[in-house]
């Protein structure tokens, strides 16, 4: 029996080590699972606190809540939150570039983890360095995200390995375990005791993730240490020169703006949001026009554009869990159940809880349908996701109307909204991660994972501009518009699925 298992494992690309596996997958998945779990613990804990900290002490904070925040309006806080989220995923693209051309995925993950830890430590120290800490966390997360997902792909024997999708689903569970625990620990302590103590605990979480990664690197695939397309000395000097020129230009420009007394936060937020929309368009166009790609790779990139646009609309709505829905939980939702009072940030754990409950159900359903040759194609799954995320905002209109007179609504309303969004997420996110690695041209292996995360950047950047424009994201008009846009995007993907599928070639 043991020799049979070893033979099967070898045939499927599993590392040796006596046939030992992690839930039927290569053992290296356990290391990446735990590293990502702790990184997401630190990230989602800070995410649960961010908007609440920004509005704390201001007119939009709940009466009687902890002070000590930045006393901003909900509109300003939502704009900052959206730009921050956009930056985290925007920086996944240069993070993938560093993995592909400078350090290799493994070393880039280590560097990124150290930067995240340093950023959380800066956030933990009260003072004027708060936004510098945010920037550091965004940079570190960008270095880490695309590379660790690429390393998961390295564990399998090519895109056709039958365990590959399952491996990404298991990896996706690590994200949700970390993001479920984070609001309960970091959010609870930060909101109820001290904001900066919460940020400090986030640093500890990332440090644990880095420790696990360093201890387990020996069982990762050797490809994760390689630099697929290293920079030449001439290219390195060129990039360094360009970087210094752009940095100097930005320093001079903002020095003049600040020196003239005209600087406001929007001088930083608006350019970042515009960059977050323009960069994804530029990157996709550059990859599509690369003459070194084969015709098959070109066709796959063309099919990928459809998934990218749909994902951008999806994340535009979904990522408002930490802003629009978080503020609604703080101000308009009852904060006690059966006499037990809880911080509003606890509700940020609901989505990952739904994932942990529903992911096995969805995985089993896909397998059962596959055995009958009836599993939905990737375009159909994306269409389903768009309809579900649109429906969640239509449903959200009900508790908004109920609380318009100051009534505190039951948390079950938000729990149901999160449930609908989670079902959409399970149709789109793990599927999108997997299809990205499958459709990626070899030349852009890590960078294409960064492109996937740019869909989040594009969606969050649009929302940040809407917020900067002064729109109320919880207003009926905005919610209906977003819901309609999502449903229309889903309908478009479904109607054109027969044109998209042939472009995907051997990827299904």
């Amino acid at each position: 029996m043991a020799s049979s298992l070893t033979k099967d494992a070898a045939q499927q690309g599993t590392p040796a080590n006596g046939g030992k596996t992690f839930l039927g997958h290569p053992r290296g998945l356990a290391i990446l699972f735990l590293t990502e779990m702790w990184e997401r613990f630190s990230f989602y804990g800070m995410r649960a606190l961010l908007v609440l900290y920004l509005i704390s002490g201001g007119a939009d904070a709940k009466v009687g809540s902890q002070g000590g925040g930045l006393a901003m309006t909900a509109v300003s806080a939502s704009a900052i939150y959206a730009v921050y989220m956009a930056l985290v995923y925007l920086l996944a693209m240069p993070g993938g570039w560093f993995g592909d051309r400078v350090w290799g995925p493994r070393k880039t993950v280590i560097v990124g983890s150290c930067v995240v830890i340093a950023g959380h430590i800066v956030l933990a120290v009260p003072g004027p360095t708060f936004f510098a800490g945010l920037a550091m966390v965004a940079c570190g997360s960008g270095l880490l995200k695309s590379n660790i997902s690429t390393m998961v792909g390295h564990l399998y024997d090519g895109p056709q390995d039958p365990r590959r999708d399952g491996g990404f689903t298991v990896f996706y569970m690590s994200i949700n375990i970390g993001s479920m625990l984070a609001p309960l620990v970091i959010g609870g302590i930060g909101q109820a005791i001290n904001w900066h103590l919460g940020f400090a605990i986030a640093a500890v979480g990332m440090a644990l993730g880095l420790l696990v990664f360093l201890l387990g690197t020996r069982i990762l695939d050797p490809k994760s240490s390689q630099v697929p397309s290293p920079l030449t000395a001439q290219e390195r000097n060129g990039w360094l020169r360009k970087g210094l020129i752009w940095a100097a230009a930005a320093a001079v420009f903002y020095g003049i703006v600040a020196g003239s007394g005209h600087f406001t936060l929007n001088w930083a937020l608006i350019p970042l949001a515009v960059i977050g929309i323009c960069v994804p368009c530029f990157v996709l166009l550059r990859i599509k026009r690369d003459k070194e790609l084969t015709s098959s790779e070109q066709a796959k990139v063309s099919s990928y554009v459809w998934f990218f646009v749909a994902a951008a609309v999806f994340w535009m709505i979904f990522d408002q869990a930490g802003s629009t829905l978080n503020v609604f939980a703080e101000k308009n939702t009852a904060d006690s159940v059966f006499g037990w009072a809880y911080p509003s940030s606890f509700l940020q754990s609901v989505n990952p809880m739904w994932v942990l409950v529903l992911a096995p159900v969805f995985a089993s359903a896909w397998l059962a349908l596959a055995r009958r040759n009836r599993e939905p194609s990737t375009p159909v799954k994306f269409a389903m996701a768009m309809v579900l995320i649109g429906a969640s905002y239509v449903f959200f209109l009900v508790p908004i109307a109920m609380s318009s007179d100051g009534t505190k609504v039951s948390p079950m309303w938000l729990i149901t909204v999160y449930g609908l969004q989670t079902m959409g997420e399970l149709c789109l996110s793990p599927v999108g991660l997997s299809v990205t690695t499958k459709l990626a041209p070899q030349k852009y292996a890590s960078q294409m994972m960064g492109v996937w995360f740019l869909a989040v950047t594009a969606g969050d950047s649009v929302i940040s501009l809407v917020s900067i424009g002064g729109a109320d994201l919880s207003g009926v008009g905005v919610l209906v518009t977003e819901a309609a846009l999502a449903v229309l995007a889903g309908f478009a993907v479904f109607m054109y699925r027969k044109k998209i599928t042939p472009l995907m070639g051997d990827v299904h």
Side-chain angles (χ1 to χ4, degrees):
M1 183 69 171
S3 61
S4 175
L5 285 173
T6 304
K7 180 180 178 183
D8 289 344
Q11 289 174 339
Q12 295 181 17
T14 304
N17 303 318
K20 295 179 181 178
T21 64
F22 171 65
L23 301 177
H25 295 273
R27 285 200 306 158
L29 184 61
I31 300 304
L32 300 178
F33 180 100
L34 291 171
T35 303
E36 181 73 356
M37 183 190 77
W38 283 114
E39 189 274 334
R40 292 291 87 183
F41 174 85
S42 71
F43 176 80
Y44 278 94
M46 199 278 293
R47 175 181 179 267
L49 291 179
L50 180 55
V51 168
L52 299 178
Y53 172 73
L54 293 176
I55 67 174
S56 177
D60 285 331
K62 182 173 68 177
V63 176
S65 63
Q66 179 197 168
L70 300 187
M72 292 184 173
T73 64
V75 170
S76 296
S78 295
I80 292 170
Y81 166 85
V83 168
Y84 166 72
M85 293 294 291
L87 273 180
V88 167
Y89 293 95
L90 173 64
L91 293 170
M93 187 67 206
W97 183 85
F98 272 96
D100 279 344
R101 309 216 60 191
V102 182
W103 293 321
R106 190 179 303 188
K107 191 172 183 179
T108 307
V109 166
I110 294 171
V111 173
S113 299
C114 293
V115 175
V116 169
I117 294 169
H120 283 303
I121 291 173
V122 172
L123 291 173
V125 179
T129 57
F130 180 81
F131 291 106
L134 273 185
M136 292 173 69
V137 174
C139 290
S141 295
L143 288 170
L144 187 147
K145 283 196 67 63
S146 56
N147 286 285
I148 199 166
S149 297
T150 299
M151 290 166 70
V152 173
H154 286 163
L155 299 173
Y156 298 95
D157 188 20
Q160 303 307 320
D161 191 320
R163 301 164 305 154
R164 190 183 183 94
D165 280 7
F168 273 98
T169 300
V170 172
F171 179 71
Y172 199 65
M173 296 291 282
S174 73
I175 297 173
N176 288 282
I177 292 173
S179 58
M180 178 189 70
L181 295 174
L184 302 177
V185 179
I186 297 173
I189 292 173
Q191 191 177 1
I193 300 176
N194 183 277
W195 300 110
H196 299 283
L197 178 59
F199 297 138
I201 294 173
V204 173
M206 185 67 258
L208 288 172
L210 176 58
L211 179 63
V212 168
F213 186 80
L214 292 173
L215 292 175
T217 50
R218 61 186 178 81
I219 61 173
L220 297 175
D221 192 283
K223 289 196 294 291
S224 66
S225 294
Q226 300 170 3
V227 182
S229 181
L231 288 173
T232 64
Q234 184 178 1
E235 287 176 319
R236 188 183 298 270
N237 292 335
W239 279 106
L240 182 61
R241 184 169 58 253
K242 290 176 184 177
L244 290 174
I245 290 172
W246 280 105
V252 170
F253 175 78
Y254 280 103
I256 294 172
V257 173
S260 65
H262 290 90
F263 183 82
T264 65
L265 197 55
N266 284 348
W267 276 98
L269 296 180
I270 293 175
L272 289 173
V274 172
I275 289 171
I277 294 171
C278 294
V279 167
C281 298
F282 170 77
V283 170
L284 282 171
L285 182 63
R286 181 174 62 86
I287 293 174
K288 184 71 181 70
R289 297 180 64 182
D290 190 334
K291 297 186 183 303
E292 293 182 10
L293 302 185
T294 65
S295 58
S296 173
E297 289 176 325
Q298 289 279 3
K300 288 178 179 179
V301 173
S302 296
S303 71
Y304 189 75
V305 171
W306 286 87
F307 301 127
F308 181 91
V309 173
V313 177
F314 180 91
W315 297 119
M316 179 182 72
I317 296 175
F318 186 88
D319 263 0
Q320 290 180 62
S323 55
T324 305
L325 299 185
N326 205 7
V327 172
F328 185 85
E330 171 74 353
K331 294 179 61 180
N332 302 95
T333 303
D335 58 1
S336 64
V337 177
F338 303 120
W340 173 65
Y342 60 89
S344 61
S345 57
F346 273 24
L347 289 174
Q348 292 293 298
S349 288
V350 172
N351 165 248
M353 286 180 182
W354 272 122
V355 171
L356 294 174
V357 170
L358 294 176
V361 177
F362 273 69
S364 299
W366 299 146
L367 286 173
L369 289 169
R371 283 193 291 268
R372 295 175 175 81
N373 241 1
R374 299 179 63 182
E375 182 183 6
S377 64
T378 298
V380 172
K381 289 178 181 178
F382 265 65
M384 293 166 61
M386 304 310 296
V387 171
L388 285 165
I389 197 74
S392 75
Y393 261 21
V394 173
F395 185 84
F396 185 39
L397 294 173
V398 179
I400 285 179
M402 292 173 61
S403 63
S404 60
D405 61 354
T407 302
K408 300 280 187 178
V409 301
S410 166
M412 287 305 300
W413 289 102
L414 279 181
I415 290 171
T416 305
V417 170
Y418 286 130
L420 289 169
Q421 294 189 350
T422 301
M423 288 189 283
E425 179 187 7
L426 290 170
C427 290
L428 181 138
S429 193
V431 176
L433 280 170
S434 182
V435 81
T436 297
T437 62
K438 292 177 181 179
L439 294 176
Q442 183 60 37
K443 182 178 178 180
Y444 298 101
S446 290
Q447 290 181 64
M448 276 298 281
M449 191 57 68
V451 172
W452 169 249
F453 294 126
L454 285 181
V456 185
T457 295
D460 283 331
S461 295
V462 170
I463 283 299
S464 67
L465 289 175
V466 172
S467 295
I468 291 167
D472 179 6
L473 295 181
S474 62
V476 173
V478 175
L479 293 173
V480 170
T481 301
E482 291 183 60
L485 185 60
V487 173
L488 285 173
F491 183 73
V493 170
F494 182 80
M495 292 300 295
Y496 281 88
R497 68 192 185 283
K498 292 184 179 179
K499 294 186 178 181
I500 300 170
T501 303
L503 295 173
M504 297 172 66
D506 58 349
V507 176
H508 302 292

